[in-house]
Short mmCIF file of all heavy atoms in Angstrom, two decimals:
data_model
loop_
_atom_site.label_atom_id
_atom_site.label_comp_id
_atom_site.label_asym_id
_atom_site.label_seq_id
_atom_site.Cartn_x
_atom_site.Cartn_y
_atom_site.Cartn_z
N MET A 30 0.83 -1.20 0.00
CA MET A 30 0.00 0.00 0.00
C MET A 30 0.87 1.25 0.00
O MET A 30 0.51 2.25 -0.59
CB MET A 30 -0.94 -0.04 1.21
CG MET A 30 -2.01 1.00 1.16
SD MET A 30 -3.17 0.80 2.50
CE MET A 30 -4.61 0.31 1.59
N GLY A 31 1.98 1.21 0.69
CA GLY A 31 2.91 2.33 0.65
C GLY A 31 2.47 3.50 1.51
O GLY A 31 1.47 3.46 2.20
N ASN A 32 3.29 4.54 1.46
CA ASN A 32 3.05 5.73 2.28
C ASN A 32 1.78 6.46 1.84
O ASN A 32 1.01 6.94 2.66
CB ASN A 32 4.26 6.65 2.21
CG ASN A 32 4.22 7.73 3.27
OD1 ASN A 32 3.55 7.57 4.29
ND2 ASN A 32 4.93 8.81 3.04
N HIS A 33 1.56 6.56 0.53
CA HIS A 33 0.37 7.25 0.04
C HIS A 33 -0.89 6.49 0.42
O HIS A 33 -1.92 7.09 0.72
CB HIS A 33 0.42 7.44 -1.48
CG HIS A 33 1.45 8.43 -1.92
ND1 HIS A 33 1.47 9.72 -1.44
CD2 HIS A 33 2.47 8.33 -2.80
CE1 HIS A 33 2.48 10.37 -2.01
NE2 HIS A 33 3.10 9.55 -2.82
N GLY A 34 -0.84 5.16 0.39
CA GLY A 34 -2.01 4.35 0.73
C GLY A 34 -2.44 4.53 2.16
O GLY A 34 -3.64 4.58 2.46
N LYS A 35 -1.48 4.65 3.06
CA LYS A 35 -1.81 4.84 4.47
C LYS A 35 -2.45 6.19 4.72
O LYS A 35 -3.31 6.32 5.57
CB LYS A 35 -0.55 4.70 5.32
CG LYS A 35 -0.01 3.29 5.37
CD LYS A 35 1.25 3.21 6.21
CE LYS A 35 1.82 1.81 6.18
NZ LYS A 35 3.07 1.72 6.92
N LYS A 36 -2.03 7.19 3.95
CA LYS A 36 -2.60 8.53 4.12
C LYS A 36 -4.00 8.63 3.54
O LYS A 36 -4.73 9.55 3.85
CB LYS A 36 -1.69 9.57 3.46
CG LYS A 36 -0.38 9.73 4.17
CD LYS A 36 0.48 10.75 3.48
CE LYS A 36 1.81 10.88 4.20
NZ LYS A 36 2.67 11.87 3.57
N MET A 37 -4.39 7.68 2.70
CA MET A 37 -5.72 7.69 2.09
C MET A 37 -6.77 7.02 2.95
O MET A 37 -7.96 7.24 2.74
CB MET A 37 -5.68 6.99 0.73
CG MET A 37 -4.96 7.74 -0.33
SD MET A 37 -5.15 6.86 -1.87
CE MET A 37 -3.80 7.52 -2.79
N ILE A 38 -6.38 6.23 3.91
CA ILE A 38 -7.33 5.45 4.70
C ILE A 38 -8.26 6.34 5.50
O ILE A 38 -9.49 6.17 5.45
CB ILE A 38 -6.59 4.45 5.61
CG1 ILE A 38 -5.90 3.39 4.76
CG2 ILE A 38 -7.55 3.79 6.59
CD1 ILE A 38 -4.99 2.47 5.53
N ALA A 39 -7.73 7.29 6.24
CA ALA A 39 -8.57 8.12 7.12
C ALA A 39 -9.60 8.94 6.34
O ALA A 39 -10.78 8.91 6.71
CB ALA A 39 -7.69 9.03 7.97
N PRO A 40 -9.22 9.65 5.26
CA PRO A 40 -10.26 10.39 4.53
C PRO A 40 -11.35 9.49 3.96
O PRO A 40 -12.53 9.86 3.95
CB PRO A 40 -9.50 11.09 3.40
CG PRO A 40 -8.09 11.12 3.84
CD PRO A 40 -7.89 9.94 4.73
N ILE A 41 -10.98 8.31 3.49
CA ILE A 41 -11.97 7.39 2.93
C ILE A 41 -12.91 6.89 4.02
O ILE A 41 -14.14 6.87 3.83
CB ILE A 41 -11.28 6.22 2.20
CG1 ILE A 41 -10.58 6.73 0.94
CG2 ILE A 41 -12.28 5.12 1.86
CD1 ILE A 41 -9.72 5.72 0.25
N VAL A 42 -12.37 6.50 5.17
CA VAL A 42 -13.21 6.00 6.26
C VAL A 42 -14.16 7.08 6.75
O VAL A 42 -15.36 6.84 6.93
CB VAL A 42 -12.33 5.46 7.42
CG1 VAL A 42 -13.15 5.18 8.66
CG2 VAL A 42 -11.58 4.22 6.98
N VAL A 43 -13.65 8.28 6.96
CA VAL A 43 -14.49 9.38 7.43
C VAL A 43 -15.58 9.70 6.40
O VAL A 43 -16.74 9.90 6.75
CB VAL A 43 -13.64 10.63 7.74
CG1 VAL A 43 -14.51 11.84 8.00
CG2 VAL A 43 -12.75 10.36 8.93
N THR A 44 -15.21 9.71 5.12
CA THR A 44 -16.19 10.00 4.07
C THR A 44 -17.27 8.93 4.03
O THR A 44 -18.46 9.25 3.96
CB THR A 44 -15.50 10.10 2.70
OG1 THR A 44 -14.55 11.17 2.75
CG2 THR A 44 -16.50 10.37 1.60
N VAL A 45 -16.89 7.67 4.09
CA VAL A 45 -17.88 6.58 4.05
C VAL A 45 -18.83 6.68 5.24
O VAL A 45 -20.06 6.57 5.08
CB VAL A 45 -17.18 5.21 4.01
CG1 VAL A 45 -18.16 4.07 4.27
CG2 VAL A 45 -16.50 5.01 2.66
N LEU A 46 -18.29 6.90 6.44
CA LEU A 46 -19.14 7.00 7.63
C LEU A 46 -20.09 8.19 7.54
O LEU A 46 -21.29 8.07 7.85
CB LEU A 46 -18.28 7.10 8.89
CG LEU A 46 -17.51 5.85 9.27
CD1 LEU A 46 -16.60 6.11 10.47
CD2 LEU A 46 -18.44 4.69 9.54
N MET A 47 -19.60 9.34 7.10
CA MET A 47 -20.46 10.53 7.00
C MET A 47 -21.52 10.37 5.92
O MET A 47 -22.67 10.77 6.11
CB MET A 47 -19.62 11.77 6.74
CG MET A 47 -18.89 12.29 7.95
SD MET A 47 -19.99 12.71 9.33
CE MET A 47 -21.00 13.98 8.61
N VAL A 48 -21.16 9.78 4.79
CA VAL A 48 -22.13 9.57 3.72
C VAL A 48 -23.22 8.60 4.18
O VAL A 48 -24.40 8.82 3.93
CB VAL A 48 -21.42 9.08 2.43
CG1 VAL A 48 -22.42 8.56 1.42
CG2 VAL A 48 -20.62 10.22 1.83
N LEU A 49 -22.83 7.53 4.87
CA LEU A 49 -23.83 6.60 5.39
C LEU A 49 -24.76 7.29 6.39
O LEU A 49 -25.98 7.08 6.37
CB LEU A 49 -23.15 5.39 6.05
CG LEU A 49 -22.47 4.41 5.10
CD1 LEU A 49 -21.73 3.35 5.89
CD2 LEU A 49 -23.48 3.78 4.15
N TYR A 50 -24.21 8.12 7.25
CA TYR A 50 -25.03 8.87 8.21
C TYR A 50 -25.99 9.81 7.49
O TYR A 50 -27.17 9.86 7.82
CB TYR A 50 -24.12 9.66 9.16
CG TYR A 50 -24.88 10.61 10.04
CD1 TYR A 50 -25.59 10.14 11.14
CD2 TYR A 50 -24.90 11.97 9.77
CE1 TYR A 50 -26.31 11.01 11.95
CE2 TYR A 50 -25.61 12.84 10.56
CZ TYR A 50 -26.31 12.35 11.66
OH TYR A 50 -27.02 13.23 12.44
N LEU A 51 -25.49 10.56 6.52
CA LEU A 51 -26.34 11.51 5.80
C LEU A 51 -27.43 10.81 4.99
O LEU A 51 -28.57 11.28 4.94
CB LEU A 51 -25.48 12.40 4.90
CG LEU A 51 -24.58 13.40 5.64
CD1 LEU A 51 -23.59 14.03 4.68
CD2 LEU A 51 -25.41 14.45 6.33
N ILE A 52 -27.11 9.67 4.39
CA ILE A 52 -28.12 8.91 3.66
C ILE A 52 -29.17 8.36 4.62
O ILE A 52 -30.37 8.42 4.34
CB ILE A 52 -27.47 7.78 2.83
CG1 ILE A 52 -26.68 8.38 1.67
CG2 ILE A 52 -28.50 6.79 2.33
CD1 ILE A 52 -25.85 7.38 0.90
N GLY A 53 -28.73 7.86 5.78
CA GLY A 53 -29.67 7.39 6.79
C GLY A 53 -30.57 8.50 7.29
O GLY A 53 -31.79 8.31 7.46
N PHE A 54 -30.01 9.67 7.50
CA PHE A 54 -30.80 10.83 7.93
C PHE A 54 -31.83 11.19 6.87
O PHE A 54 -32.99 11.47 7.18
CB PHE A 54 -29.87 12.01 8.20
CG PHE A 54 -30.55 13.20 8.79
CD1 PHE A 54 -30.71 13.31 10.16
CD2 PHE A 54 -31.06 14.20 7.98
CE1 PHE A 54 -31.35 14.41 10.72
CE2 PHE A 54 -31.70 15.29 8.51
CZ PHE A 54 -31.85 15.40 9.89
N SER A 55 -31.43 11.16 5.61
CA SER A 55 -32.35 11.48 4.52
C SER A 55 -33.48 10.47 4.42
O SER A 55 -34.64 10.84 4.23
CB SER A 55 -31.60 11.54 3.19
OG SER A 55 -30.71 12.61 3.18
N ILE A 56 -33.14 9.20 4.55
CA ILE A 56 -34.18 8.16 4.50
C ILE A 56 -35.16 8.35 5.65
O ILE A 56 -36.38 8.26 5.46
CB ILE A 56 -33.53 6.77 4.53
CG1 ILE A 56 -32.80 6.51 3.21
CG2 ILE A 56 -34.57 5.68 4.78
CD1 ILE A 56 -31.94 5.27 3.21
N ALA A 57 -34.64 8.61 6.84
CA ALA A 57 -35.52 8.85 7.99
C ALA A 57 -36.41 10.07 7.75
O ALA A 57 -37.60 10.05 8.08
CB ALA A 57 -34.69 9.04 9.25
N ALA A 58 -35.86 11.11 7.16
CA ALA A 58 -36.65 12.31 6.88
C ALA A 58 -37.75 12.01 5.88
O ALA A 58 -38.88 12.47 6.03
CB ALA A 58 -35.74 13.43 6.35
N PHE A 59 -37.44 11.23 4.85
CA PHE A 59 -38.45 10.89 3.85
C PHE A 59 -39.57 10.04 4.45
O PHE A 59 -40.72 10.13 4.04
CB PHE A 59 -37.82 10.17 2.66
CG PHE A 59 -37.03 11.08 1.76
CD1 PHE A 59 -35.73 10.75 1.41
CD2 PHE A 59 -37.57 12.25 1.26
CE1 PHE A 59 -34.98 11.58 0.57
CE2 PHE A 59 -36.83 13.08 0.42
CZ PHE A 59 -35.55 12.75 0.08
N ILE A 60 -39.23 9.19 5.40
CA ILE A 60 -40.23 8.31 6.02
C ILE A 60 -41.08 9.06 7.03
O ILE A 60 -42.30 8.90 7.07
CB ILE A 60 -39.53 7.10 6.68
CG1 ILE A 60 -38.92 6.20 5.60
CG2 ILE A 60 -40.51 6.31 7.54
CD1 ILE A 60 -38.04 5.10 6.14
N ILE A 61 -40.45 9.89 7.85
CA ILE A 61 -41.12 10.50 8.99
C ILE A 61 -41.86 11.79 8.65
O ILE A 61 -42.98 12.01 9.11
CB ILE A 61 -40.11 10.76 10.13
CG1 ILE A 61 -39.56 9.43 10.63
CG2 ILE A 61 -40.74 11.55 11.25
CD1 ILE A 61 -38.40 9.58 11.58
N LEU A 62 -41.26 12.64 7.85
CA LEU A 62 -41.81 13.98 7.65
C LEU A 62 -42.99 13.99 6.68
O LEU A 62 -42.98 13.32 5.66
CB LEU A 62 -40.71 14.92 7.16
CG LEU A 62 -39.57 15.09 8.15
CD1 LEU A 62 -38.44 15.88 7.54
CD2 LEU A 62 -40.04 15.76 9.42
N PRO A 63 -44.01 14.79 7.00
CA PRO A 63 -45.26 14.75 6.24
C PRO A 63 -45.31 15.60 4.98
O PRO A 63 -46.02 15.27 4.05
CB PRO A 63 -46.29 15.28 7.24
CG PRO A 63 -45.51 16.21 8.11
CD PRO A 63 -44.12 15.61 8.19
N SER A 64 -44.58 16.68 4.93
CA SER A 64 -44.74 17.66 3.86
C SER A 64 -43.60 17.56 2.83
O SER A 64 -42.45 17.28 3.18
CB SER A 64 -44.75 19.06 4.47
OG SER A 64 -44.74 20.03 3.48
N ALA A 65 -43.95 17.83 1.56
CA ALA A 65 -42.96 17.71 0.49
C ALA A 65 -41.84 18.72 0.62
O ALA A 65 -40.67 18.40 0.41
CB ALA A 65 -43.65 17.86 -0.86
N TRP A 66 -42.14 19.97 0.97
CA TRP A 66 -41.07 20.97 1.07
C TRP A 66 -40.16 20.67 2.26
O TRP A 66 -38.98 20.96 2.23
CB TRP A 66 -41.63 22.39 1.14
CG TRP A 66 -42.35 22.72 2.41
CD1 TRP A 66 -43.67 22.53 2.69
CD2 TRP A 66 -41.78 23.30 3.58
NE1 TRP A 66 -43.96 22.94 3.96
CE2 TRP A 66 -42.81 23.43 4.53
CE3 TRP A 66 -40.50 23.71 3.93
CZ2 TRP A 66 -42.59 23.94 5.81
CZ3 TRP A 66 -40.30 24.23 5.20
CH2 TRP A 66 -41.34 24.34 6.12
N VAL A 67 -40.71 20.07 3.30
CA VAL A 67 -39.89 19.66 4.45
C VAL A 67 -38.99 18.50 4.05
O VAL A 67 -37.84 18.41 4.48
CB VAL A 67 -40.77 19.31 5.66
CG1 VAL A 67 -39.95 18.85 6.83
CG2 VAL A 67 -41.64 20.49 6.05
N TRP A 68 -39.49 17.61 3.19
CA TRP A 68 -38.65 16.52 2.68
C TRP A 68 -37.45 17.07 1.94
O TRP A 68 -36.34 16.58 2.08
CB TRP A 68 -39.42 15.64 1.72
CG TRP A 68 -40.45 14.75 2.32
CD1 TRP A 68 -40.61 14.44 3.63
CD2 TRP A 68 -41.46 14.05 1.61
NE1 TRP A 68 -41.66 13.60 3.78
CE2 TRP A 68 -42.20 13.34 2.56
CE3 TRP A 68 -41.80 13.96 0.28
CZ2 TRP A 68 -43.27 12.53 2.21
CZ3 TRP A 68 -42.87 13.15 -0.07
CH2 TRP A 68 -43.59 12.45 0.88
N ILE A 69 -37.69 18.10 1.15
CA ILE A 69 -36.60 18.69 0.36
C ILE A 69 -35.52 19.26 1.28
O ILE A 69 -34.33 19.04 1.08
CB ILE A 69 -37.14 19.77 -0.59
CG1 ILE A 69 -38.01 19.11 -1.66
CG2 ILE A 69 -36.00 20.56 -1.23
CD1 ILE A 69 -38.79 20.08 -2.50
N VAL A 70 -35.94 19.96 2.33
CA VAL A 70 -34.98 20.58 3.24
C VAL A 70 -34.25 19.54 4.08
O VAL A 70 -33.03 19.49 4.13
CB VAL A 70 -35.67 21.62 4.15
CG1 VAL A 70 -34.71 22.13 5.21
CG2 VAL A 70 -36.21 22.76 3.32
N PHE A 71 -35.02 18.66 4.74
CA PHE A 71 -34.41 17.71 5.66
C PHE A 71 -33.97 16.41 5.02
O PHE A 71 -33.28 15.62 5.65
CB PHE A 71 -35.36 17.42 6.83
CG PHE A 71 -35.52 18.57 7.76
CD1 PHE A 71 -36.65 19.37 7.70
CD2 PHE A 71 -34.54 18.88 8.68
CE1 PHE A 71 -36.80 20.45 8.56
CE2 PHE A 71 -34.67 19.95 9.54
CZ PHE A 71 -35.81 20.73 9.47
N GLY A 72 -34.37 16.16 3.80
CA GLY A 72 -33.95 14.96 3.10
C GLY A 72 -33.02 15.25 1.94
O GLY A 72 -32.06 14.54 1.71
N GLY A 73 -33.31 16.31 1.20
CA GLY A 73 -32.51 16.63 0.02
C GLY A 73 -31.18 17.26 0.34
O GLY A 73 -30.15 16.94 -0.26
N VAL A 74 -31.18 18.17 1.29
CA VAL A 74 -29.93 18.87 1.65
C VAL A 74 -28.86 17.89 2.15
O VAL A 74 -27.71 17.98 1.73
CB VAL A 74 -30.21 20.01 2.65
CG1 VAL A 74 -28.92 20.60 3.17
CG2 VAL A 74 -31.08 21.09 2.00
N PRO A 75 -29.20 16.93 3.02
CA PRO A 75 -28.16 15.96 3.42
C PRO A 75 -27.64 15.12 2.25
O PRO A 75 -26.47 14.78 2.22
CB PRO A 75 -28.88 15.07 4.45
CG PRO A 75 -29.93 15.94 5.01
CD PRO A 75 -30.39 16.79 3.87
N LEU A 76 -28.51 14.83 1.28
CA LEU A 76 -28.04 14.09 0.11
C LEU A 76 -27.08 14.92 -0.72
O LEU A 76 -26.08 14.41 -1.24
CB LEU A 76 -29.23 13.64 -0.75
CG LEU A 76 -30.09 12.54 -0.15
CD1 LEU A 76 -31.27 12.23 -1.07
CD2 LEU A 76 -29.29 11.29 0.13
N ILE A 77 -27.35 16.21 -0.84
CA ILE A 77 -26.43 17.11 -1.54
C ILE A 77 -25.10 17.18 -0.80
O ILE A 77 -24.03 17.13 -1.41
CB ILE A 77 -27.06 18.51 -1.69
CG1 ILE A 77 -28.25 18.44 -2.65
CG2 ILE A 77 -26.03 19.53 -2.17
CD1 ILE A 77 -29.10 19.68 -2.69
N CYS A 78 -25.17 17.27 0.53
CA CYS A 78 -23.94 17.30 1.34
C CYS A 78 -23.14 16.01 1.17
O CYS A 78 -21.90 16.04 1.13
CB CYS A 78 -24.29 17.51 2.80
SG CYS A 78 -24.90 19.16 3.17
N ALA A 79 -23.83 14.87 1.06
CA ALA A 79 -23.14 13.60 0.85
C ALA A 79 -22.40 13.61 -0.49
O ALA A 79 -21.25 13.16 -0.58
CB ALA A 79 -24.13 12.44 0.90
N GLY A 80 -23.04 14.16 -1.52
CA GLY A 80 -22.39 14.26 -2.82
C GLY A 80 -21.17 15.15 -2.77
O GLY A 80 -20.13 14.85 -3.37
N VAL A 81 -21.27 16.26 -2.05
CA VAL A 81 -20.14 17.18 -1.91
C VAL A 81 -19.01 16.50 -1.15
O VAL A 81 -17.83 16.65 -1.51
CB VAL A 81 -20.58 18.49 -1.22
CG1 VAL A 81 -19.39 19.34 -0.85
CG2 VAL A 81 -21.53 19.27 -2.12
N MET A 82 -19.34 15.73 -0.12
CA MET A 82 -18.30 15.02 0.65
C MET A 82 -17.55 14.03 -0.24
O MET A 82 -16.33 13.90 -0.12
CB MET A 82 -18.92 14.29 1.83
CG MET A 82 -19.28 15.20 2.96
SD MET A 82 -19.26 14.38 4.55
CE MET A 82 -17.55 13.96 4.71
N ILE A 83 -18.28 13.35 -1.11
CA ILE A 83 -17.62 12.40 -2.02
C ILE A 83 -16.69 13.15 -2.98
O ILE A 83 -15.56 12.73 -3.21
CB ILE A 83 -18.67 11.57 -2.77
CG1 ILE A 83 -19.39 10.63 -1.79
CG2 ILE A 83 -18.03 10.77 -3.90
CD1 ILE A 83 -20.60 9.95 -2.36
N ALA A 84 -17.15 14.27 -3.50
CA ALA A 84 -16.31 15.07 -4.41
C ALA A 84 -15.06 15.57 -3.70
O ALA A 84 -13.96 15.55 -4.28
CB ALA A 84 -17.12 16.24 -4.97
N VAL A 85 -15.19 16.02 -2.46
CA VAL A 85 -14.04 16.50 -1.70
C VAL A 85 -13.07 15.36 -1.42
O VAL A 85 -11.84 15.54 -1.49
CB VAL A 85 -14.51 17.18 -0.40
CG1 VAL A 85 -13.35 17.44 0.54
CG2 VAL A 85 -15.23 18.47 -0.71
N CYS A 86 -13.60 14.18 -1.13
CA CYS A 86 -12.74 13.02 -0.88
C CYS A 86 -11.95 12.65 -2.14
O CYS A 86 -10.76 12.36 -2.06
CB CYS A 86 -13.56 11.83 -0.39
SG CYS A 86 -12.56 10.41 0.06
N VAL A 87 -12.61 12.68 -3.29
CA VAL A 87 -11.93 12.38 -4.55
C VAL A 87 -10.82 13.41 -4.79
O VAL A 87 -9.69 13.05 -5.18
CB VAL A 87 -12.93 12.36 -5.72
CG1 VAL A 87 -12.22 12.33 -7.06
CG2 VAL A 87 -13.87 11.17 -5.58
N GLN A 88 -11.11 14.68 -4.54
CA GLN A 88 -10.10 15.73 -4.71
C GLN A 88 -8.93 15.49 -3.75
O GLN A 88 -7.77 15.66 -4.12
CB GLN A 88 -10.73 17.09 -4.47
CG GLN A 88 -9.78 18.23 -4.65
CD GLN A 88 -10.44 19.58 -4.39
OE1 GLN A 88 -11.58 19.64 -3.93
NE2 GLN A 88 -9.73 20.64 -4.66
N ARG A 89 -9.23 15.11 -2.53
CA ARG A 89 -8.18 14.84 -1.54
C ARG A 89 -7.30 13.67 -1.97
O ARG A 89 -6.08 13.70 -1.79
CB ARG A 89 -8.82 14.57 -0.17
CG ARG A 89 -7.85 14.33 0.92
CD ARG A 89 -7.10 15.58 1.30
NE ARG A 89 -6.16 15.27 2.36
CZ ARG A 89 -4.91 15.70 2.40
NH1 ARG A 89 -4.47 16.53 1.48
NH2 ARG A 89 -4.11 15.35 3.37
N MET A 90 -7.92 12.63 -2.54
CA MET A 90 -7.14 11.48 -3.01
C MET A 90 -6.18 11.92 -4.12
O MET A 90 -5.04 11.48 -4.16
CB MET A 90 -8.06 10.39 -3.55
CG MET A 90 -8.95 9.72 -2.52
SD MET A 90 -8.04 8.99 -1.16
CE MET A 90 -8.48 10.11 0.15
N LYS A 91 -6.64 12.80 -5.00
CA LYS A 91 -5.76 13.31 -6.07
C LYS A 91 -4.59 14.09 -5.48
O LYS A 91 -3.46 13.99 -5.95
CB LYS A 91 -6.56 14.19 -7.04
CG LYS A 91 -7.51 13.41 -7.90
CD LYS A 91 -8.30 14.32 -8.80
CE LYS A 91 -9.32 13.55 -9.61
NZ LYS A 91 -10.15 14.43 -10.45
N GLU A 92 -4.87 14.90 -4.44
CA GLU A 92 -3.80 15.67 -3.79
C GLU A 92 -2.78 14.74 -3.15
O GLU A 92 -1.57 14.97 -3.25
CB GLU A 92 -4.38 16.59 -2.72
CG GLU A 92 -5.14 17.77 -3.25
CD GLU A 92 -5.77 18.61 -2.14
OE1 GLU A 92 -5.59 18.25 -0.95
OE2 GLU A 92 -6.43 19.60 -2.46
N ILE A 93 -3.25 13.71 -2.47
CA ILE A 93 -2.34 12.78 -1.81
C ILE A 93 -1.48 12.06 -2.85
O ILE A 93 -0.27 11.92 -2.68
CB ILE A 93 -3.12 11.79 -0.93
CG1 ILE A 93 -3.72 12.52 0.28
CG2 ILE A 93 -2.23 10.64 -0.46
CD1 ILE A 93 -4.67 11.69 1.11
N ARG A 94 -2.10 11.61 -3.93
CA ARG A 94 -1.34 10.91 -4.98
C ARG A 94 -0.29 11.80 -5.64
O ARG A 94 0.76 11.33 -6.04
CB ARG A 94 -2.29 10.36 -6.03
CG ARG A 94 -3.04 9.15 -5.57
CD ARG A 94 -3.80 8.51 -6.71
NE ARG A 94 -4.76 7.57 -6.18
CZ ARG A 94 -6.07 7.66 -6.31
NH1 ARG A 94 -6.59 8.65 -7.01
NH2 ARG A 94 -6.86 6.76 -5.79
N SER A 95 -0.60 13.11 -5.76
CA SER A 95 0.35 14.00 -6.43
C SER A 95 1.42 14.53 -5.47
O SER A 95 2.30 15.26 -5.90
CB SER A 95 -0.40 15.18 -7.06
OG SER A 95 -0.93 16.03 -6.07
N GLY A 96 1.31 14.20 -4.19
CA GLY A 96 2.32 14.62 -3.23
C GLY A 96 2.04 15.96 -2.59
O GLY A 96 2.92 16.53 -1.94
N GLU A 97 0.84 16.49 -2.73
CA GLU A 97 0.49 17.78 -2.13
C GLU A 97 -0.28 17.60 -0.82
O GLU A 97 -1.09 18.43 -0.47
CB GLU A 97 -0.38 18.58 -3.10
CG GLU A 97 0.28 18.92 -4.39
CD GLU A 97 -0.67 19.65 -5.33
OE1 GLU A 97 -1.67 20.19 -4.85
OE2 GLU A 97 -0.40 19.65 -6.53
N GLU A 98 -0.01 16.52 -0.11
CA GLU A 98 -0.81 16.22 1.07
C GLU A 98 -0.55 17.15 2.26
O GLU A 98 -1.33 17.19 3.18
CB GLU A 98 -0.65 14.77 1.49
CG GLU A 98 0.73 14.42 2.03
CD GLU A 98 1.69 13.91 0.96
OE1 GLU A 98 1.30 13.81 -0.20
OE2 GLU A 98 2.83 13.66 1.31
N ASP A 99 0.53 17.90 2.22
CA ASP A 99 0.87 18.76 3.36
C ASP A 99 0.87 20.22 2.91
O ASP A 99 1.89 20.89 2.99
CB ASP A 99 2.21 18.34 3.95
CG ASP A 99 2.43 18.92 5.33
OD1 ASP A 99 1.46 19.40 5.93
OD2 ASP A 99 3.57 18.89 5.80
N ASP A 100 -0.26 20.70 2.46
CA ASP A 100 -0.36 22.07 1.95
C ASP A 100 -0.09 23.12 3.01
O ASP A 100 0.45 24.19 2.74
CB ASP A 100 -1.73 22.33 1.34
CG ASP A 100 -1.95 21.58 0.05
OD1 ASP A 100 -0.94 21.19 -0.56
OD2 ASP A 100 -3.11 21.38 -0.33
N LEU A 101 -0.48 22.87 4.26
CA LEU A 101 -0.34 23.86 5.31
C LEU A 101 1.11 24.17 5.65
O LEU A 101 1.43 25.25 6.13
CB LEU A 101 -1.08 23.43 6.57
CG LEU A 101 -2.61 23.41 6.47
CD1 LEU A 101 -3.21 22.87 7.77
CD2 LEU A 101 -3.14 24.78 6.18
N SER A 102 2.02 23.24 5.38
CA SER A 102 3.43 23.49 5.71
C SER A 102 4.05 24.53 4.79
O SER A 102 5.11 25.06 5.08
CB SER A 102 4.21 22.19 5.61
OG SER A 102 4.27 21.74 4.27
N LYS A 103 3.38 24.86 3.69
CA LYS A 103 3.90 25.87 2.76
C LYS A 103 3.70 27.28 3.30
O LYS A 103 4.33 28.21 2.82
CB LYS A 103 3.20 25.75 1.41
CG LYS A 103 3.45 24.45 0.70
CD LYS A 103 2.66 24.41 -0.60
CE LYS A 103 2.78 23.07 -1.27
NZ LYS A 103 1.93 22.99 -2.46
N TYR A 104 2.82 27.44 4.27
CA TYR A 104 2.46 28.79 4.73
C TYR A 104 2.97 29.08 6.09
O TYR A 104 3.14 28.35 6.94
CB TYR A 104 0.94 28.97 4.69
CG TYR A 104 0.37 28.72 3.33
CD1 TYR A 104 -0.31 27.54 3.04
CD2 TYR A 104 0.54 29.64 2.31
CE1 TYR A 104 -0.83 27.32 1.79
CE2 TYR A 104 0.02 29.42 1.06
CZ TYR A 104 -0.66 28.25 0.80
OH TYR A 104 -1.15 28.02 -0.45
#
């Protein structure tokens, strides 16, 4: 797996756990909440956040692979 592989584990695990939580929250909102506009707010927004988290994780994986994993040390 190498050095880059070890650095990828934590972002992937955190992303998977958060996406599962957000999807579960959305499913619960769709089941429990009575109104369509409330479904959009409490069900749709977490799904959008899950998509953004996946995109950020993919971007982070690209940074780690290219060797830019320690951006803060530049400043």
Side-chain angles (χ1 to χ4, degrees):
M30 191 174 248
N32 194 22
H33 290 305
K35 291 179 184 177
K36 292 180 181 180
M37 289 185 200
I38 293 172
I41 292 172
V42 169
V43 170
T44 300
V45 168
L46 291 175
M47 284 301 299
V48 167
L49 289 174
Y50 171 76
L51 290 169
I52 290 173
F54 186 87
S55 294
I56 290 171
F59 286 128
I60 292 171
I61 296 170
L62 298 173
S64 173
W66 69 272
V67 178
W68 287 346
I69 292 170
V70 173
F71 289 102
V74 172
L76 290 178
I77 292 169
C78 290
V81 170
M82 284 207 64
I83 292 169
V85 168
C86 184
V87 168
Q88 182 181 7
R89 182 70 181 137
M90 293 303 109
K91 289 178 184 177
E92 288 177 0
I93 291 172
R94 285 189 194 117
S95 69
E97 298 177 20
E98 68 268 359
D99 196 14
D100 290 339
L101 292 177
S102 67
K103 297 177 185 175
Y104 303 104

